[in-house]
Amino acid sequence: MTNNIKDNDTGPDAAELEQLVAEADQGGREVGGITGLVLFLAAVLWSLFQLWYASPLPFTLNFAIFNDTEARALHLGIAMFIAYMAYPARKSSPRDRMPLHDLVLALMAAFCGSYLYLFYDQLATRPGIPTQMDVIVACVGLVLLLEATRRSLGAPMAILGTVFVLYSFFGPYLPDALSHRGASIERLMSHMWLTTEGVYGVALGVSVSYIFIFVLFGSLLDRGGAGNYMMQVSFALLGHLRGGPAKVAVASSAANGLVSGSSVANVVTTGIFTIPLMKRAGYGAVRAGAIETSASVNGQIMPPVMGAAAFLMIEYVGIPYTDIIKHAILPASISYIALFYMVHLEALKLGLEPMTAGMKPKTPTQRIAGWGMGIAGTAIFMSLVYWIGTGIQKIAGESAVWILGILLIALYIWLLRGASKYPDLPDEISITDSRPEPWPTVRSGLYFLIPIGILVWCLTIEQLSPGLSAFWGVMSMLFLMATQRPLMALFRRQAVMPAVKTGLEDLIGGLHDGARNMVGIAIACGTAGLIVGAITLTGLGLRMTAFVEIVSMGSVLIMLFFTAAVCLVLGLGMPTTANYILMATLMAPVVVELGAQNGMIIPLIAVHMFVFYFGIMADITPPVGLATFAASAISGAHPLATGIQGVIYASRTAVLPFMFIFNPLLLLMDVGSWFELVMVIGGATLAAMTFSAATLGWFRFKCSALEVVALLAVTFILFRPDWLINFIAPKYVERPATEVNKVISEMPHNGRFIAVIEGMSVEGDDLVKTVGVALPELPEGSDATGDAAAMQRLSSVGLMLMPLGDDLQIANVRFGSPARRAGWEMGWDITGIMIPNPDRPSEFMSYIPAILLLMLIWWRQGLRMKREPKPEAIKAV
């Protein structure tokens, strides 16, 4: 007998949850008539415009080519128009009709936001000399942007933007510590609205180029059924395990995180099924909501489609998106593994029993063999795809794209035909006497992996830009949405035309949903640009640097705790994207600089990932956590209690940024061999699991206080294996600066060139810093050798060195180069070069005492398990 989860659990119905997501992500206003049609068409046309902008067609056809500034202006203008149409002014405002004043404001906002596009030629002829019309439009546009921010993102973000604008204007009247020259209305408005230094800055540019197309890709996948497919597969594979519903929540949220960057949507999509199931299993309302929240929020850090802030890193850090994915994959994976282990420990702690029976009990050997075959099969299939794809490219040349396209279409039709032999997956999870058959469930939607595979292939193998890669992913998804239902109907000998109509409705609906989901992000990027513009206009960044250095007393660890605290406080009223932009602008350079002055090499990407991780924590932390409120609405538990429990579960994510700041190996940086890679992954995964056990106070059995401390010690050693070895031998030894060319010639691909430099800061202080930068290999075709090769590798990262007798000076550091971002200073002297210590023992020797200590805890708890009673088993209801 089958029991639908909705039959026995009280909670909000589907309409209420849809409204909750709409309020958070899309504005919540749904109107009919001509006004509703205008809103719908505006969203769809915005998606089509972004597809056109991301595609190669404008340059191929030499038609409708938009430069960056024009595209940003149109992007913001459309976003502000939809914001006033979709987001009511107050909670009490009507959702089913459009007040006249909102329509007027929408048209004004569209004009002001698009002003740079509409009058681009005229503005280009008088840069820095705004007319009265320019100033009026800028003032009105700024006010309208702040109001759109209040509506779509909340009052705190709008207030923060207003404070920074007022700070720019009233600088001369502030106390000495904060005072500056101030700015006239003309200068302020020109800086903020008529240039790319303010609202139309880097953040909005990334929103146009990358974020929109990836959000659209995720929306289409979800509308096409990929989200439900991933959840059903998770349940088929994990639903029969102890604590199965919680494990399903973790796995399905991780899978949804591959294609969605919205925490709230992730919570509601999976939580509407998993939270009631977890309550039934015995987790309770608070734990159920907290588990779903923690799993869903981490979707923003899960490659390949990460949260919007990840795309901003491309510009702020200056590295390709493929490198961002590489650096993010291990922390994101072990974070989910740790949460999976946490919910398993909670099941043991509560004495929970499986809700569904397994198909047939398997021995440990059979389980290991099954997982091994599954992993090996996946690896073999991925290898075949790679070799077939690259082989065809080498053989067929320019014709390869057509051959690969035909093969992909044939694969898609074959997978779809196979899926048509099985019933459609249900839209909700049901509890039966035994779990669903895994293979039929998996096979029913394998074709959804084709668009994701195309995206990953374009990013990693073809190394196309993120925007162009996502464009091809979106186009493949549009093709899939238009054809999957008609082809399925054809294979099942059903009526085709109704299926064609439904497929087109889904396609257009996906375009609409993608645009509506982007409004808040685009507005956030515009307002964040306002804040960044104020910082650059007033020089606030230098004051913040001095202030933070005083507060931290020169300690990098205190600085990191301060940065994390500021991220969490700002997150109470700001979305992750705006939080990241502000902290990356103010704090990231300060952390890198302070680390350099303390003799530490802190990679810039590590600091940006640190800020990103604590930015997403704001969706969990009380009293304001949108994901927590969404989960509480489903579970019926109090939001504050759910948020506190969620913070406990999310602690395994919060500890990771501190670890990879001090151990960049966790970001897969400076990993020199396959052995090192295996050791880093294994050690980090085990460390995340021991930290989970320490957090919950349960390993094999309830932990004593001493065992908790021991587990934390094991965690620290596994995360920081270099810490113990540092007492034996230093990590680097110094070489004279005159050996620079010899050191660089012996350096491997992307090896880190590290030097001790000294000079005078802009404040007139004599400083000594340790700085480093990764040096790529020489480009193909280069025949440079010796000193010329060393100079060419240095030049590729923006460095030019000049020998002065026995001394070596930094002659030039190119603006915006990797060297400049890493803290190298023009005119400073290089006093020494640091190379890895050849006599230093392997860091991984530290794993031996850590594992021995872990084995001791395991043995000790095994003895206690024999003496003390186990918790009573709780049966699912």
Side-chain angles (χ1 to χ4, degrees):
M1 182 178 177
T2 301
N3 294 320
N4 188 285
I5 62 169
K6 293 182 182 178
D7 294 339
N8 297 319
D9 290 279
T10 58
D13 59 23
E16 290 174 333
L17 290 172
E18 287 178 6
Q19 182 64 26
L20 180 66
V21 176
E23 292 284 351
D25 291 341
Q26 298 187 355
R29 179 180 278 160
E30 295 293 340
V31 293
I34 295 178
T35 308
L37 180 63
V38 169
L39 176 56
F40 183 85
L41 289 177
V44 173
L45 290 174
W46 191 17
S47 291
L48 294 176
F49 163 72
Q50 292 291 159
L51 275 174
W52 175 265
Y53 182 71
S55 76
L57 291 176
F59 298 97
T60 303
L61 302 176
N62 196 28
F63 172 74
I65 299 174
F66 300 94
N67 63 37
D68 288 344
T69 305
E70 292 173 325
R72 294 177 191 184
L74 280 173
H75 184 79
L76 183 64
I78 299 172
M80 291 173 67
F81 176 79
I82 297 177
Y84 279 99
M85 295 280 285
Y87 288 85
R90 297 180 299 276
K91 289 185 177 180
S92 59
S93 299
R95 264 62 176 168
D96 57 350
R97 59 183 178 84
M98 181 75 63
L100 180 60
H101 64 269
D102 276 356
L103 187 57
V104 173
L105 290 174
L107 293 172
M108 291 174 61
F111 174 77
C112 294
S114 306
Y115 189 73
L116 274 180
Y117 168 73
L118 297 172
F119 298 95
Y120 182 81
D121 293 338
Q122 294 92 320
L123 290 167
T125 60
R126 43 183 168 82
I129 312 174
T131 64
Q132 186 177 12
M133 177 68 174
D134 296 339
V135 175
I136 292 173
V137 169
C139 289
V140 174
L142 193 147
V143 172
L144 289 173
L145 175 61
L146 291 172
E147 169 59 12
T149 303
R150 184 194 67 80
R151 293 188 181 202
S152 58
L153 303 172
M157 180 70 178
I159 292 172
L160 190 65
T162 304
V163 167
F164 273 89
V165 172
L166 294 177
Y167 174 72
S168 302
F169 186 67
F170 291 106
Y173 309 104
L174 297 174
D176 289 342
L178 295 173
S179 65
H180 58 90
R181 291 180 57 190
S184 64
I185 288 288
E186 289 80 6
R187 185 183 176 212
L188 180 61
M189 291 302 108
S190 177
H191 185 82
M192 294 296 187
W193 206 264
L194 303 177
T195 70
T196 55
E197 299 297 322
V199 172
Y200 300 95
V202 170
L204 198 65
V206 173
S207 179
V208 176
S209 302
Y210 307 136
I211 299 176
F212 189 104
I213 198 74
F214 274 87
V215 170
L216 178 60
F217 181 64
S219 297
L220 291 172
L221 274 169
D222 186 59
R223 187 78 176 224
N228 180 57
Y229 165 71
M230 292 173 180
M231 183 173 60
Q232 297 290 347
V233 169
S234 300
F235 185 71
L237 296 176
L238 305 170
H240 66 291
L241 301 177
R242 186 192 297 267
K247 293 171 180 176
V248 170
V250 175
S252 58
S253 294
N256 271 333
L258 294 173
V259 298
S260 171
S262 171
S263 301
V264 178
N266 203 338
V267 166
V268 173
T269 301
T270 58
I272 188 174
F273 305 116
T274 58
I275 289 175
L277 286 175
M278 283 188 276
K279 289 170 64 178
R280 274 202 196 173
Y283 279 98
V286 172
R287 285 190 182 91
I291 290 169
E292 181 58 52
T293 300
S294 301
S296 297
V297 165
N298 272 30
Q300 293 189 61
I301 62 174
M302 196 68 187
V305 182
M306 302 165 67
F311 300 100
L312 291 162
M313 288 185 200
I314 299 170
E315 299 295 331
Y316 284 120
V317 184
I319 60 177
Y321 188 62
T322 48
D323 286 354
I324 303 255
I325 291 175
K326 183 186 80 172
H327 298 318
I329 187 65
L330 180 58
S333 299
I334 63 177
S335 178
Y336 268 110
I337 291 171
L339 183 59
F340 192 91
Y341 185 56
M342 267 186 170
V343 301
H344 176 70
L345 292 179
E346 284 280 29
L348 294 176
K349 190 175 177 181
L350 297 170
L352 305 184
E353 290 185 345
M355 293 186 69
T356 61
M359 304 167 98
K360 185 180 178 182
K362 293 183 179 180
T363 65
T365 304
Q366 288 174 323
R367 291 195 189 99
I368 293 172
W371 280 102
M373 290 177 63
I375 294 171
T378 303
I380 291 171
F381 176 77
M382 292 175 66
S383 300
L384 283 174
V385 170
Y386 172 76
W387 289 115
I388 291 172
T390 54
I392 290 175
Q393 285 180 326
K394 289 180 180 178
I395 295 171
E398 294 182 357
S399 303
V401 64
W402 299 104
I403 297 173
L404 289 173
I406 292 170
L407 288 177
L408 278 176
I409 292 173
L411 176 64
Y412 166 64
I413 294 174
W414 179 70
L415 291 174
L416 202 62
R417 184 178 181 83
S420 68
K421 298 176 182 179
Y422 300 92
D424 287 337
L425 293 175
D427 292 332
E428 55 192 42
I429 293 177
S430 298
I431 297 299
T432 59
D433 294 332
S434 62
R435 65 167 171 163
E437 290 271 359
W439 175 238
T441 306
V442 171
R443 189 173 178 178
S444 65
L446 277 175
Y447 54 90
F448 284 121
L449 300 182
I450 292 177
I452 299 174
I454 289 174
L455 171 65
V456 174
W457 178 276
C458 291
L459 279 172
T460 58
I461 307 301
E462 300 296 330
Q463 295 188 348
L464 302 179
S465 70
L468 188 55
S469 300
F471 167 77
W472 291 117
V474 167
M475 294 307 295
S476 64
M477 194 61 213
L478 290 173
F479 175 79
L480 184 150
M481 293 178 72
T483 59
Q484 64 169 331
R485 292 182 185 274
L487 287 175
M488 193 78 76
L490 189 65
F491 291 140
R492 291 173 176 172
R493 301 182 185 279
Q494 298 172 347
V496 174
M497 290 311 297
V500 171
K501 180 181 177 183
T502 305
L504 291 176
E505 288 175 352
D506 286 342
L507 188 153
I508 297 172
L511 294 174
H512 169 264
D513 291 347
R516 291 285 291 266
N517 290 334
M518 260 304 297
V519 173
I521 298 174
I523 297 296
C525 288
T527 306
L530 198 67
I531 296 170
V532 173
I535 293 170
T536 58
L537 184 64
T538 62
L540 180 61
L542 294 175
R543 291 180 177 82
M544 281 295 296
T545 302
F547 171 74
V548 172
E549 287 181 358
I550 293 171
V551 170
S552 65
M553 297 176 290
S555 168
V556 175
L557 189 59
I558 295 176
M559 162 85 76
L560 293 174
F561 276 112
F562 178 80
T563 303
V566 174
C567 282
L568 293 176
V569 171
L570 288 177
L572 297 179
M574 295 174 65
T576 303
T577 306
N579 193 340
Y580 167 77
I581 293 170
L582 183 58
M583 295 305 296
T585 304
L586 286 176
M587 299 300 296
V590 182
V591 175
V592 173
E593 178 69 19
L594 188 60
Q597 293 178 23
N598 281 269
M600 289 178 58
I601 304 295
I602 302 179
L604 187 59
I605 181 62
V607 182
H608 282 260
M609 291 288 286
F610 183 97
V611 172
F612 183 29
Y613 268 57
F614 278 98
I616 70 170
M617 291 287 288
D619 280 345
I620 299 177
T621 50
V624 181
L626 293 179
T628 298
F629 276 95
S632 300
I634 301 171
S635 69
H638 195 281
L640 183 59
T642 303
I644 293 172
Q645 186 66 38
V647 169
I648 295 173
Y649 292 140
S651 60
R652 97 276 175 208
T653 301
V655 75
L656 284 173
F658 287 96
M659 294 299 107
F660 59 60
I661 284 286
F662 293 99
N663 181 20
L665 286 174
L666 296 175
L667 298 177
L668 302 184
M669 302 183 72
D670 302 329
V671 178
S673 66
W674 281 102
F675 172 77
E676 284 189 8
L677 179 64
V678 171
M679 295 300 288
V680 168
I681 293 174
T685 303
L686 186 57
M689 296 172 71
T690 55
F691 182 77
S692 300
T695 303
L696 294 181
W698 192 280
F699 190 35
R700 295 181 71 187
F701 201 72
K702 184 178 180 181
C703 297
S704 65
L706 182 60
E707 288 170 340
V708 170
V709 172
L711 285 169
L712 290 174
V714 171
T715 301
F716 179 77
I717 294 172
L718 292 174
F719 271 140
R720 288 286 316 278
D722 61 318
W723 187 78
L724 287 178
I725 304 301
N726 287 340
F727 290 100
I728 301 174
K731 189 170 186 176
Y732 298 101
V733 292
E734 189 169 342
R735 289 285 182 269
T738 52
E739 297 184 11
V740 58
N741 291 333
K742 179 184 176 183
V743 169
I744 292 175
S745 65
E746 296 173 354
M747 195 171 292
H749 171 66
N750 275 336
R752 196 168 296 278
F753 174 52
I754 301 173
V756 179
I757 63 175
E758 62 178 29
M760 184 177 293
S761 68
V762 293
E763 292 86 5
D765 300 324
D766 292 324
L767 296 177
V768 177
K769 298 197 303 183
T770 303
V771 292
V773 64
L775 296 182
E777 286 284 8
L778 293 175
E780 280 189 39
S782 174
D783 56 356
T785 58
D787 293 353
M791 292 177 62
Q792 194 167 339
R793 291 185 74 182
L794 288 172
S795 177
S796 67
V797 294
L799 270 178
M800 181 182 292
L801 306 183
M802 179 173 61
L804 297 173
D806 293 334
D807 299 325
L808 188 66
Q809 190 176 81
I810 303 173
N812 186 39
V813 183
R814 191 170 63 246
F815 179 77
S817 65
R820 186 72 193 93
R821 289 186 173 101
W824 293 75
E825 303 282 356
M826 186 172 67
W828 286 33
D829 296 324
I830 297 179
T831 60
I833 298 170
M834 311 299 291
I835 64 171
N837 187 352
D839 301 323
R840 176 182 166 94
S842 171
E843 295 179 1
F844 304 114
M845 295 291 290
S846 300
Y847 285 2
I848 296 175
I851 292 173
L852 289 175
L853 180 57
L854 189 62
M855 292 172 63
L856 177 62
I857 301 169
W858 181 275
W859 173 76
R860 176 188 168 102
Q861 290 207 340
L863 295 179
R864 288 172 53 208
M865 287 174 67
K866 296 176 181 178
R867 297 195 306 264
E868 300 179 25
K870 296 181 180 179
E872 270 188 53
I874 299 176
K875 292 185 178 180
V877 295

